[in-house]
Structure formats: structure tokens, C-alpha cells
Amino acid sequence: MKVLVINSGSSSIKYQLLDTETEAVMVNGLVERIGEEVGDLKNKAYPDTDDEAVTKLHQSIPDHTTGMRLAIDLICDPEKGVLKDKSEIDAIGHRVVHGGEAFNQPTLINDEVIAAIEACVPLAPLHNPANLDGIRVAMELFPEAPQVAVFDTAFHQTIPAHAYMYALPYELYEKDRVRRYGFHGTSHKFVAGELAAQIGKPADELNMITVHLGNGGSITAVEKGKSVDTTMGLTPLEGLVMGTRSGDVDPAVHAFLARNKGMSIEEIDTMLNKESGLKGLCGLNDMRDIHAAIEKGDERAEIALGVQTYRNRKYIGAYMAVLGNVDGIVFTAGIGENDDIVRYESVKGLECFGVKIDEAANANRAKEPMKISTDDSTVAVWVIPTNEELAIARETKEVITK
Ligand code: ADP
């Protein structure tokens, strides 16, 4: 089955065409700067053995429809495309950020589903409208193909009330749906499934802690294959120290800044999301730059690394308490897959809970799953590359073949 996976943002569309039988990527593409004077499109076809495999366009791309049409024309070019006709695409899988409490699994899209995604716009005002743009364009371009929405929040809908409720006036939950939702669900579910495969047991027999550390980061406690707590909350700001996001702070910081510095709610929100985290602490938000700065003796970079890894460790420890018995911990995403220092610092001191890291194994970097704990570690620790596109393609296939 050929599945086109679409991740539509406010000014960009990421897409990937996958063959779900072989799980091979056939095309990988990115449309950027939609709506700006000049936009960009990069389309890469596999196998990429010749130069013609990559096509770059630099032209006006006024809207998502134009961007998607350009991509489809490249994918389905009767002469040079990997497909000859768009009817060869069997299904479309859409990444949707927020499914609120309405969606606990990937769902076949119809008018009712679109209305329910729209109803979640107040919960994700930047993301859901852009995701809906992608859905509408794809429905127009592929009226025959089934379309499936795969939600970032769905995996976390199994979190029990004692973990998703905030201790706020109850009406805020009842009327305004203020609660913990959690994000990166597709990635957490994917790496939990891959870890279970590595351990050689079904996911529903295992307790795992999944640690997704990219530009954004979150950790999830997975009990018998189900999410039971996660660090992100109502929005993706809560929890870990991220590239530019603060993660947990005293909620009174808003009032403090408003009263003492005259900052508006908008200014505070922007500061916590865009000017905080690693960047706020040391001016750098890329972990590679932080390590380079530490080598040169930059103390603030060292503090930033310490604050980030301490927060990771604190949550891993908290989720060990939540789960009781932990079979495995898995690190994933840009930092989790590549940064042995962050991994080491995030689990150090947990030997008393059965976590023993094999330092030589941890020093490796691999594109494949790799075990970084010692053989006598009672908790298996792994690094497993996440692959949200493949996860969306698999889930899309599952929905339409059910
Ligand atoms: P996103 O959340 O945008 O999907 P990624 O998962 O791609 O992000 O992670 C991006 C981050 O990964 C970068 O900001 C960088 O800090 C980190 N990263 C990437 N490569 C390395 C590396 N070799 N060593 C340390 N950190 C890395």
C-alpha cells in the first residue's frame, strides 16, 4: 500500500510517500515559506542514486493548495515521478496536533471528524488550523483516497484523571477542558513498540519510560503499553527544559512578571515559549553548540546542560515511582539519539533502581536501535530512532484495513 503522510504547518508542508509493505520511503519532501514572496520546495525521490532524485523549486507558493499541487506533480510525473498517476496513492495520513478528549486513536476523516478537529482549535490555535488546511487540500486533490488523522495527543488519552487533572477550580475542566493532554504521542507510542520488539515481549506486558528529546522534549510513563503520565500538559510548554521553552516554572511567575515588570500576558507567553529553556539560560538552543561552548569554558552553557539533564532525571525518577517496576527506558529524537552526555547525565545516580549504563555502548551513535545498558542492568536502556512518518503510515494502514 502507498501512503502519503502529510504534516501541514502554518507556512510549511512536510510530506513523505511510503510503501507500507516494505516500509521504504519512496519520496521525502518539504514545502516552505508558503504565503511569502518566494517559497521553496525540496522533493527527494528514493532510491537517490542519481542527481535527478532531488528537485528544488524556488518560486511563489501563495497557499497550501499550490504547495501540495507542486509536490503531487513531482511525485506523480508520468515520466520522472516515482508514481505515474496520483490514483496509485492508496491513502493519506495526516499529522494532527490536538485531538482533545474527542480522539483516543487514529481516525478516518469525514465531516464530523473535521468539525471535531475544529472544535479543538482553542486548545492548539497555531497548529490545528494549519493541520486542517492540509486535510482540506488533500481531500480536494485526492477525493477518492481515504484520509486518516493521527493525533499527537491520542496516545495519552489513557492517562488517568489523577494524572491529567490540574488542581484548579473544577469548572475549568468541565467548561474549558483545561487538563493535561500531552504531546509527541505518535513518537512515544512508536518507540515504546520498538523497545518492546527489542526486548522480545508484547508492549502490553511491559512498563517503559520513553524519553523524547528534540527541540521540544517530553517523557512518558508507559504502563503495560499505555501512557499513564507525560510531562507536557495543556500545551507543549510544561515539563522538560527545551530548546527555547522553559518547561515547569512556578505558575506564579506570570503574576510576578506582570506586577513587577509590567509585562503583558502575551509578552510572558512569548518569553516562556521562545526565549527561555536552554536559550534563555545560556543564549544557545542547539545542544551541539552548548557542548562546544562548555569545552571553551562557558559557565552558563554548563549550567544550562545541568538544569536540562537534572529535570530529565527528576522526571525519569518520578515515573519509576509511578510505574513501580520498569522494564525499559528508551531515548529518542535529535538529542536523545545523538547525545551520549545528555543520556548519561539523565540516568546517572539511578543505579539503586537497577539502571546501569554501559559507557562504551553509550558513546556510540547509531541509526539503528542500540542497547546502552549493561547486561546485568535490571532496566534495559535503549536508544531508538523515532520515525513519526512511518508511525503515521502504519496507523493509517491499520485504520483503513480494519
Ligand atoms: P524537532 O523537535 O524539531 O523534531 P529534532 O528531534 O530534530 O527536533 O532534534 C533537534 C535537536 O537535536 C537540535 O536542536 C539539537 O540540539 C539536537 N541534536 C541534533 N544532532 C545532535 C548531535 N549530534 N548531538 C547533540 N544534539 C544533537
Side-chain angles (χ1 to χ4, degrees):
M1 183 180 287
K2 312 265 187 299
V3 176
L4 180 65
V5 174
I6 297 178
N7 181 354
S8 174
S10 55
S11 64
S12 70
I13 306 171
K14 276 192 214 158
Y15 59 90
Q16 209 171 82
L17 179 70
L18 291 112
D19 181 333
T20 56
E21 309 319 315
T22 59
E23 301 204 325
V25 177
M26 301 175 73
V27 178
N28 198 358
L30 174 63
V31 188
E32 282 181 295
R33 300 178 203 283
I34 296 172
E36 288 183 29
E37 210 167 306
V38 189
D40 285 304
L41 185 153
K42 189 173 171 194
N43 185 84
K44 186 173 181 190
Y46 295 84
D48 53 352
T49 42
D50 59 59
D51 293 342
E52 283 184 24
V54 178
T55 311
K56 287 184 183 167
L57 302 179
H58 186 64
Q59 64 181 77
S60 158
I61 306 177
D63 49 37
H64 286 69
T65 311
T66 312
M68 208 59 237
R69 262 188 216 285
L70 288 169
I72 300 304
D73 287 347
L74 288 169
I75 298 170
C76 309
D77 184 313
E79 277 168 30
K80 288 195 287 186
V82 299
L83 302 179
K84 300 301 161 218
D85 191 89
K86 63 183 192 173
S87 62
E88 290 174 53
I89 294 176
D90 299 297
I92 322 264
H94 295 272
R95 175 179 187 220
V96 179
V97 166
H98 219 305
E101 291 186 326
F103 298 101
N104 59 11
Q105 55 192 3
T107 305
L108 190 66
I109 298 175
N110 56 27
D111 289 347
E112 217 176 297
V113 169
I114 290 182
I117 297 172
E118 243 158 21
C120 295
V121 166
L123 295 168
L126 297 179
H127 293 101
N128 271 29
N131 301 155
L132 281 163
D133 278 345
I135 292 174
R136 292 203 179 94
V137 171
M139 290 181 93
E140 187 188 318
L141 293 174
F142 298 94
E144 308 295 331
Q147 318 246 348
V148 173
V150 180
F151 300 91
D152 261 20
T153 49
F155 181 55
H156 300 303
Q157 279 297 301
T158 44
I159 294 177
H162 61 249
Y164 75 65
M165 286 300 294
Y166 292 119
L168 293 169
Y170 198 77
E171 312 81 81
L172 282 179
Y173 169 62
E174 281 184 307
K175 297 207 180 89
D176 302 290
R177 297 187 288 163
V178 174
R179 53 161 283 183
R180 174 183 313 286
Y181 290 97
F183 299 86
H184 293 141
T186 309
S187 175
H188 287 292
K189 183 179 175 191
F190 178 81
V191 294
E194 296 293 304
L195 175 60
Q198 294 296 340
I199 292 177
K201 280 192 181 171
D204 60 11
E205 289 178 16
L206 295 172
N207 289 349
M208 296 170 270
I209 297 173
T210 52
V211 185
H212 177 114
L213 302 174
N215 278 317
S218 62
I219 302 184
T220 296
V222 180
E223 185 174 52
K224 304 216 177 306
K226 292 196 164 72
S227 171
V228 291
D229 202 355
T230 192
T231 56
M232 283 179 169
L234 172 70
T235 76
L237 181 59
E238 195 180 343
L240 306 182
V241 176
M242 303 173 229
T244 64
R245 283 175 246 167
S246 62
D248 297 341
V249 288
D250 184 337
V253 78
H254 281 79
F256 178 90
L257 294 173
R259 284 193 203 111
N260 295 297
K261 293 183 72 77
M263 287 172 76
S264 69
I265 288 291
E266 287 309 320
E267 285 169 338
I268 298 167
D269 194 48
T270 303
M271 185 196 81
L272 293 174
N273 275 289
K274 304 242 157 83
E275 293 146 22
S276 299
L278 298 169
K279 185 178 175 198
L281 285 166
C282 71
L284 303 166
N285 62 297
D286 191 301
M287 209 35 111
R288 288 163 288 197
D289 298 337
I290 290 176
H291 290 302
I294 293 172
E295 296 245 310
K296 290 194 191 126
D298 185 328
E299 279 176 26
R300 278 182 32 196
E302 192 154 0
I303 290 173
L305 179 72
V307 175
Q308 203 251 19
T309 54
Y310 172 74
R311 183 82 49 87
N312 296 344
R313 197 158 75 239
K314 196 158 104 170
Y315 270 114
I316 292 171
Y319 289 167
M320 294 186 109
V322 165
L323 295 169
N325 172 48
V326 178
D327 299 291
I329 297 174
V330 54
F331 285 92
T332 195
I335 299 172
E337 289 164 29
N338 294 299
D339 196 324
D340 57 310
I341 297 173
V342 169
R343 289 195 297 258
Y344 181 77
E345 293 290 322
S346 301
V347 291
K348 91 172 172 201
L350 299 179
E351 291 84 1
C352 55
F353 300 107
V355 181
K356 284 197 205 160
I357 295 298
D358 176 337
E359 288 187 45
N362 184 42
N364 292 328
R365 213 187 286 163
K367 290 213 154 49
E368 298 298 319
M370 68 176 188
K371 187 175 158 202
I372 58 166
S373 51
T374 58
D375 287 339
D376 64 341
S377 178
T378 52
V379 180
V381 186
W382 282 75
V383 177
I384 297 182
T386 193
N387 189 338
E388 288 178 274
E389 288 79 12
L390 174 59
I392 292 172
R394 281 183 188 169
E395 304 227 9
T396 299
K397 180 183 169 193
E398 216 175 289
V399 168
I400 63 172
T401 50
K402 241 200 288 213

